[in-house]
């Protein structure tokens, strides 16, 4: 891979903001690659090398569970499973479960500058089926035992997930609320019969999770060898038509038919004047408390098996939740309902041996949310995209506490270049004036001559007192709105941005590394370049 290699990270997560550092936000689907979407293959390792050359200590990703509606990683059918779409076909070929001839792909997949989810799924599915068949036929005894051990070790979630996916597929994709009542209500005899009838299909989905887990572990080890920690993301809520809800119906506010009585969202805010109507079922926190929050803690533990630190999306939801009546057209007519967040976090801290988490404390934040965050010493977030609006003064760098993480923008924001060049609709003169004033203030605050303003803002984040500064790769590249990852409240066209291999240049890495050195964010130790380690087992 030809990269600057550093000593392996020794990191237990107990005080993860242990020094000044910086990182880059890039979801794996945004990586280059020949099969329509980025994955855990060679380009992921090249990106880890790029991060090392750029003086970075963190690779932040979005949730890596199977994507849901609109290809959203925040709408997954499972909080525990890995996305089979991220499995590297090239790695499967290397270990012998895929014939390289099967990987002859349409040129359109390789040349796509946007993620082509439908085409990528259509190409990958038969290849993965072939890989499972070959594994069944030719896997040596040692590898079969590794697979069985993985299935046993993850039975608490994998058993229900593989069954859910298999049953759903057998019913042509019907949501679980439309399955026959014995399956919908999880009667034991019906579950046993489904497991028997669908045994091969269940095995296939277990195999996909085994391969994801194996490939993920390899990539994580490679990152650690280069001093790169992984920062993940865990959604607050789960998908209604998903394995989590079906397998744990008593933990959600559902009616007798399994339908949500209320759904989660957020009231009108910076991102949407009508609020955001997410549609996720709401937890029954009293039921969770009776079992010691076991399901939620298992969800966190699974995330920490993949990541060194995890961002708790919508941290406000541990204090209170905006509940909207089922069937509502917008999120305006909801109400806040309290959540026993302090009790939960105390239980989680004891069970996990610490709380290596980042609180996504954005939105309508109250003093109680800040108090909850600070009580458990969870760092919060600051976003430069919000810093120059007079209503969001806490995001101005001169107001930062040290124990915080600053971003130029998040996956929900426009890029810095896109925001600086944006114009409000002419019919709203007040909004247009406020935007112009915020843009002008940003340029004054960051300094410079206005050229390469994105670098001035990146420099502003790096020079701040915040212990960690994270930059979306799109901002490093100086992309406009074409590089935006997500527009909240829009059902399609999101999560599609991809970087080209040639954009990850040595000069870009060197420029970022120099800035990190200037502001004392470079990793502590380095060693000589090294090659990616290979493993022969499958």
């Amino acid at each position: 891979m030809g990269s600057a290699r550093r000593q392996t990270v020794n990191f237990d997560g107990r005080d993860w903001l242990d020094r000044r550092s910086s990182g880059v936000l890039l979801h794996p689907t945004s990586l280059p690659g020949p099969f329509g979407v980025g994955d855990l293959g060679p380009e992921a390792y090249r990106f880890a090398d790029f991060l090392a050359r750029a003086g970075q200590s963190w690779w932040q990703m979005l949730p890596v569970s199977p994507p849901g509606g609109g290809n959203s990683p925040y709408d997954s059918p499972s909080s525990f499973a890995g996305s089979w779409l991220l499995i590297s076909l090239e790695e499967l070929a290397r270990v012998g479960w895929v014939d390289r001839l099967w990987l002859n792909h349409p040129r359109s997949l390789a040349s796509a500058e946007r993620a082509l989810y439908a085409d990528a799924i259509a190409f990958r599915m038969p290849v993965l089926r072939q890989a499972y068949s070959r594994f069944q036929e030719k896997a040596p005894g040692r590898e079969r035992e590794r697979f069985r051990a993985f299935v046993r070790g993850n039975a608490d979630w994998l058993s229900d997930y593989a069954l859910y996916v298999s049953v759903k597929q057998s019913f042509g994709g019907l949501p679980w609320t439309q399955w026959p009542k014995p399956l919908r209500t999880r009667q034991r005899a019906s579950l046993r019969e489904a497991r028997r009838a669908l045994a091969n299909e269940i095995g296939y989905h277990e195999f996909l999770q085994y391969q994801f887990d194996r490939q993920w572990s390899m990539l994580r080890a490679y990152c650690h060898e280069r001093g790169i920690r992984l920062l993940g993301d865990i959604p607050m809520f789960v998908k209604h038509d998903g394995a989590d809800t079906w397998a744990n119906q008593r933990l959600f506010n559902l009616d007798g038919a399994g339908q949500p009585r209320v759904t989660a969202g957020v009231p009108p805010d910076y991102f949407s004047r009508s609020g955001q109507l997410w549609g996720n079922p709401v937890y029954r926190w009293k039921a969770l408390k009776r079992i010691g929050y076991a399901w939620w803690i298992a969800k966190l533990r699974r995330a920490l098996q993949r990541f060194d630190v995890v961002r708790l999306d919508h941290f406000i939801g541990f204090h209170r939740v905006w509940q909207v009546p089922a069937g509502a057209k917008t999120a305006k007519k909801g109400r806040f309902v309290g959540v026993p967040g302090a009790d939960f976090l105390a239980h989680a801290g004891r069970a996990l041996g610490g709380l290596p988490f980042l609180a996504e404390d954005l939105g309508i934040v109250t003093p109680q949310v800040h108090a909850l965050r600070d009580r458990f010493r969870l760092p919060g977030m600051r976003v430069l995209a919000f810093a120059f609006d007079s209503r969001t003064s806490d995001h101005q760098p001169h107001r930062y506490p040290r124990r915080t993480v600053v971003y130029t923008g998040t996956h929900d924001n426009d890029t810095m270049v896109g925001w600086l060049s944006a114009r409000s609709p002419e019919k709203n003169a007040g909004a247009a004036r406020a935007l112009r004033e915020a843009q002008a203030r940003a340029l004054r605050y960051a300094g410079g001559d206005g050229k390469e303003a994105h670098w001035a803002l990146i420099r502003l984040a790096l020079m701040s007192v915040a212990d960690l500064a994270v930059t979306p790769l799109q901002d490093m590249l100086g992309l406009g709105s074409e590089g935006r990852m997500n527009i909240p409240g829009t059902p399609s066209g999101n999560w599609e941005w991809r970087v080209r291999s040639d954009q990850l240049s040595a000069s870009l890495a060197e420029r970022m590394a120099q800035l990190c050195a200037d502001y004392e964010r470079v990793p502590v130790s380095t060693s000589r370049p090294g090659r990616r380690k290979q493993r022969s087992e499958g």
Side-chain angles (χ1 to χ4, degrees):
M1 294 292 176
S3 67
R5 180 179 175 181
R6 299 195 294 276
Q7 295 175 2
T8 300
V9 169
N10 293 315
F11 177 66
D12 64 12
R14 278 176 284 190
D15 189 8
W16 62 276
L17 285 185
D18 52 358
R19 54 183 167 80
R20 284 174 65 80
S21 60
S22 65
V24 173
L25 170 60
L26 181 78
H27 196 51
T29 57
S30 293
L31 289 165
F35 305 114
V37 297
D39 57 34
L40 304 181
E43 293 290 351
Y45 290 82
R46 294 190 185 104
F47 184 66
D49 292 339
F50 171 83
L51 292 175
R53 287 194 299 270
Q56 302 303 292
S57 300
W58 294 92
W59 178 357
Q60 182 170 349
M61 306 176 189
L62 308 182
V64 294
S65 295
N71 305 311
S72 172
Y74 293 90
D75 189 45
S76 178
S78 173
S79 298
F80 297 81
S83 174
W84 61 267
L85 198 57
L86 295 178
I87 294 173
S88 168
L89 303 185
E90 292 157 299
E91 174 62 19
L92 292 180
R94 188 187 70 79
V95 297
W97 304 135
V98 168
D99 191 315
R100 291 195 179 276
L101 292 176
W102 300 347
L103 303 187
N104 291 330
H105 49 80
R107 183 177 299 177
S108 60
L109 286 183
S111 61
E113 295 191 7
R114 304 285 292 180
L116 302 176
Y117 288 94
D119 293 343
I121 290 170
F123 179 81
R124 288 167 184 262
M125 286 185 68
V127 177
L128 293 172
R129 293 277 180 184
Q130 293 275 14
Y132 179 53
S133 295
R134 181 170 286 188
F135 181 88
Q136 288 178 301
E137 295 169 3
K138 299 184 177 182
R142 182 177 61 178
E143 185 59 24
R144 291 178 185 273
E145 179 50 37
R146 287 195 187 98
F147 176 40
R148 288 192 291 267
F150 171 79
V151 172
R152 290 193 301 269
N154 293 275
D156 58 331
W157 65 268
L158 183 56
S159 177
D160 282 321
Y161 168 74
L163 178 60
Y164 166 83
V165 177
S166 300
V167 172
K168 185 177 179 66
Q169 191 168 329
S170 73
F171 287 128
L174 282 177
W176 65 266
T177 51
Q178 296 181 33
W179 296 354
K181 185 176 180 179
L183 277 174
R184 173 172 61 80
T185 57
R186 296 178 56 82
Q187 296 178 18
R188 291 183 180 180
S190 183
L191 294 180
R192 283 196 301 270
E193 175 56 27
R195 293 187 195 282
R196 184 197 64 77
L198 299 171
N200 187 65
E201 188 69 13
I202 289 170
Y204 166 67
H205 290 289
E206 292 171 338
F207 171 77
L208 295 185
Q209 291 306 305
Y210 172 61
Q211 291 301 328
F212 176 92
D213 191 75
R214 173 183 168 273
Q215 292 187 11
W216 184 271
S217 297
M218 290 171 60
L219 177 61
R220 184 180 183 183
Y222 186 85
C223 289
H224 281 187
E225 288 172 1
R226 281 142 188 82
I228 306 297
R229 306 174 186 178
L230 300 183
L231 175 53
D233 198 339
I234 190 166
M236 167 59 66
F237 299 106
V238 302
K239 186 180 181 71
H240 175 238
D241 184 22
D244 297 317
T245 313
W246 174 66
N248 302 278
Q249 296 172 44
R250 62 195 175 95
L251 301 181
F252 298 91
N253 192 348
L254 308 175
D255 63 21
Q259 297 292 349
R261 293 188 176 92
V262 291
T263 61
V266 292
D269 63 3
Y270 174 90
F271 291 112
S272 175
R273 292 180 180 177
S274 61
Q276 296 179 48
L277 191 61
W278 293 339
N280 307 90
V282 173
Y283 299 108
R284 295 178 60 225
W285 281 98
K286 289 183 179 179
L288 280 162
K289 185 174 183 177
R290 283 196 293 270
I291 60 171
Y293 308 102
W295 179 85
W296 243 108
I297 291 171
K299 176 179 174 178
L300 295 175
R301 181 176 286 112
R302 180 61 176 161
L304 291 172
Q305 290 170 351
R306 293 186 179 132
F307 295 98
D308 298 294
V309 171
V310 175
R311 172 186 180 267
L312 299 176
D313 185 51
H314 195 61
F315 182 75
I316 295 170
F318 289 113
H319 167 60
R320 62 181 186 178
V321 172
W322 185 253
Q323 293 186 174
V324 182
K329 300 301 181 182
T330 74
K332 287 183 176 180
K333 295 183 179 180
R335 68 185 183 97
F336 281 115
V337 176
V339 171
D343 190 55
F344 163 68
L345 289 171
H347 274 75
R350 290 191 293 269
L352 300 172
L355 295 171
F357 301 117
L358 165 63
E360 188 268 288
D361 52 346
L362 306 177
I364 303 177
V365 182
T366 64
Q368 293 87 346
V369 174
H370 286 158
L372 180 65
R373 178 199 66 198
D374 295 342
R375 175 176 173 180
F376 293 93
R377 296 196 72 244
L378 302 178
M381 291 174 55
R382 298 293 184 271
V383 183
L384 286 182
F386 303 154
F388 309 107
D389 184 326
S390 60
R391 295 170 298 177
T392 52
S393 59
D394 284 349
H395 293 269
Q396 298 172 33
H398 62 270
R399 295 176 180 267
Y400 292 171
R402 288 186 59 183
R403 190 174 176 79
T404 196
V405 181
V406 57
Y407 293 77
T408 53
T410 74
H411 62 274
D412 285 331
N413 295 111
D414 201 347
T415 65
M416 285 291 93
V417 171
W419 177 74
L420 287 169
S421 61
R423 295 291 181 268
S424 289
E426 293 182 2
K427 62 182 180 181
N428 191 333
R433 183 172 57 256
L435 177 60
R436 289 194 302 270
E437 290 173 353
Q439 291 165 334
R441 185 173 185 218
L443 294 174
R444 291 195 305 271
Y445 196 108
D449 57 7
K451 297 178 180 178
E452 293 191 308
H454 57 292
W455 277 110
L457 290 163
I458 291 171
R459 175 179 171 272
L460 185 61
L462 293 172
M463 71 186 294
S464 76
V465 298
D467 283 329
L468 174 57
V470 177
T471 307
L473 183 61
Q474 296 96 313
D475 284 343
M476 283 180 64
L477 295 171
L479 298 181
S481 298
E482 74 279 3
R484 185 166 185 168
M485 194 64 168
N486 178 51
I487 301 176
T490 59
S492 61
N494 297 312
W495 322 109
E496 295 178 358
W497 179 77
R498 297 180 76 190
V499 61
R500 300 191 313 270
S501 292
D502 64 287
Q503 291 177 304
L504 300 173
S505 64
S507 60
L508 180 66
E510 290 166 5
R511 184 171 188 176
M512 191 67 169
Q514 184 58 61
L515 278 175
C516 290
D518 290 343
Y519 298 111
E520 298 181 327
R521 293 188 184 273
V522 293
V524 174
S525 59
T526 61
S527 61
R528 291 183 300 172
R531 288 186 174 182
R532 172 185 171 189
K533 294 181 179 179
Q534 299 290 324
R535 290 176 54 177
S536 59
E537 67 268 21

